[in-house]
Amino acid sequence: MKLFFTAYATVACAFLALDAVWLSLMGPRLYKPFLQGLLADAVRPAPAILFYVLYIAGIVIFAVLPSEKPAMALLRGAAFGLVAYGTYDLTNQATLRVWPVMITLADLSWGAFATGVAASLASVACVWLVRS
């Protein structure tokens, strides 16, 4: 259980920090210009918090804990991020009248990168915990 909580806390810190930087930089440059008519005036906290709680658990369960090495956690995390972000973006692209390909490509890249990095950092923390 200690391993799970170490992985969860590490993924949470890493992913939330990365995502905060991404959203603060890319929100006004990418999302707002392309999705102006679709965006809410303000972020709704409850769904955002629920997303992060579930997504971080998914990273831990599907990428960090099954991996014995940080490199494998990086690959599993990147794959998990690609699938998760792809599910969202490609569904939007398939069902909405307007969903720019640029948003899909950026999100798929970001989801794979940020999830992979967070998973590998958590794997490093877990390896350290097990060895100490």
Side-chain angles (χ1 to χ4, degrees):
M1 197 49 107
K2 190 174 181 181
L3 200 61
F4 178 85
F5 287 117
T6 298
Y8 194 95
T10 306
V11 168
C13 290
F15 189 80
L16 291 170
L18 288 167
D19 219 30
V21 170
W22 171 261
L23 292 173
S24 65
L25 292 175
M26 299 310 288
R29 291 180 177 93
L30 178 67
Y31 297 107
K32 194 168 186 171
F34 281 102
L35 302 175
Q36 204 165 35
L38 297 174
L39 295 176
D41 293 333
V43 174
R44 294 181 192 101
I49 291 167
L50 186 56
F51 163 75
Y52 284 112
V53 167
L54 292 172
Y55 192 68
I56 291 164
I59 297 169
V60 171
I61 293 166
F62 297 113
V64 179
L65 294 183
S67 304
E68 294 180 19
K69 297 179 180 176
M72 185 55 72
L74 175 74
L75 292 174
R76 286 178 189 250
F80 182 74
L82 183 67
V83 169
Y85 278 67
T87 300
Y88 173 77
D89 281 276
L90 294 171
T91 299
N92 285 343
Q93 202 164 6
T95 60
L96 299 178
R97 287 187 189 159
V98 178
W99 189 264
V101 173
M102 177 67 82
I103 296 291
T104 298
L105 295 175
D107 278 357
L108 293 179
S109 300
W110 176 249
F113 172 78
T115 306
V117 169
S120 66
L121 291 173
S123 180
V124 168
C126 289
V127 167
W128 178 83
L129 179 68
V130 169
R131 288 185 183 166
S132 60

